[in-house]
Amino acid sequence: MDPEQRRFLKKKYGAAAWPRVKSRIGRRKSLNLQDLTLPNARLIKLSRTDTTRPSRVHAIWQLNDDPDCMIAVSVSVWASVGATHDELLNLLGTIQSGDVTQDADQSAIGEIGFSIHDTMNLFATGNVVVMVRNAGKHVVSVRRISEIVDLFIKRNE
């Protein structure tokens, strides 16, 4: 990422004030989304890369047996919280929407969270970065699924 863009994003989203570690989540090495159960959803695709760092998992779930209603979940596991914050900035830099908001309330998903209305959530918990977004023709809220993924990460430390 261009250094000027990085400075802009850090300032825009207050990265200097992001918590170093707020939860008890330690340094996780990988995460298995195959064990994640989402309500009214069927896992239709799962790919993982554990041989490189960071470890990455990408999954797509079909909701309500509707082939046009799918949710994508991408997870990356980083060596440190600092690297996690860098990845958040990198991903924020790729989002082509002016509607990205930072979740500032206590009920927010993750320790640091961003959203585009209810159609995309980007968040970090410990050294794990997660993006949950629509992947089908029908756009649905991803908030509840993001909450479930966040809880899954916290329970499986």
Side-chain angles (χ1 to χ4, degrees):
M1 174 186 300
D2 176 272
E4 189 173 320
Q5 182 184 17
R6 179 174 292 286
R7 279 191 298 277
F8 170 78
L9 291 171
K10 279 184 165 184
K11 184 177 179 181
K12 179 178 180 178
Y13 295 112
W18 290 353
R20 295 307 291 174
V21 175
K22 192 164 130 184
S23 74
R24 300 178 313 123
I25 304 299
R27 285 193 183 163
R28 173 184 295 289
K29 293 189 178 173
S30 67
L31 190 66
N32 189 358
L33 290 182
Q34 192 167 2
D35 297 334
L36 175 62
T37 302
L38 298 176
N40 301 315
R42 180 173 57 95
L43 181 63
I44 60 171
K45 183 176 181 181
L46 180 70
S47 64
R48 58 182 311 120
T49 308
D50 283 330
T51 56
T52 61
R53 293 289 172 237
S55 169
R56 296 182 187 268
V57 181
H58 302 283
I60 297 178
W61 276 271
Q62 183 180 39
L63 303 178
N64 304 317
D65 291 325
D66 182 347
D68 292 330
C69 191
M70 293 187 279
I71 298 293
V73 178
S74 300
V75 176
S76 54
V77 180
W78 295 85
S80 68
V81 173
T84 301
H85 292 180
D86 286 342
E87 177 65 359
L88 281 174
L89 289 169
N90 287 334
L91 290 171
L92 286 166
T94 66
I95 297 171
Q96 298 180 3
S97 172
D99 292 338
V100 176
T101 58
Q102 186 167 1
D103 302 329
D105 62 17
Q106 294 292 10
S107 64
I109 298 163
E111 295 166 351
I112 306 166
F114 302 89
S115 60
I116 299 177
H117 308 291
D118 276 344
T119 63
M120 186 279 305
N121 285 114
L122 170 63
F123 62 94
T125 297
N127 66 325
V128 179
V129 174
V130 180
M131 183 180 279
V132 180
R133 63 194 181 283
N134 279 273
K137 292 179 186 176
H138 296 158
V139 177
V140 297
S141 172
V142 298
R143 179 154 182 89
R144 181 67 187 130
I145 290 171
S146 298
E147 291 169 344
I148 292 168
V149 173
D150 189 35
L151 187 60
F152 177 79
I153 291 168
K154 290 173 181 170
R155 283 188 176 162
N156 291 285
E157 58 180 316

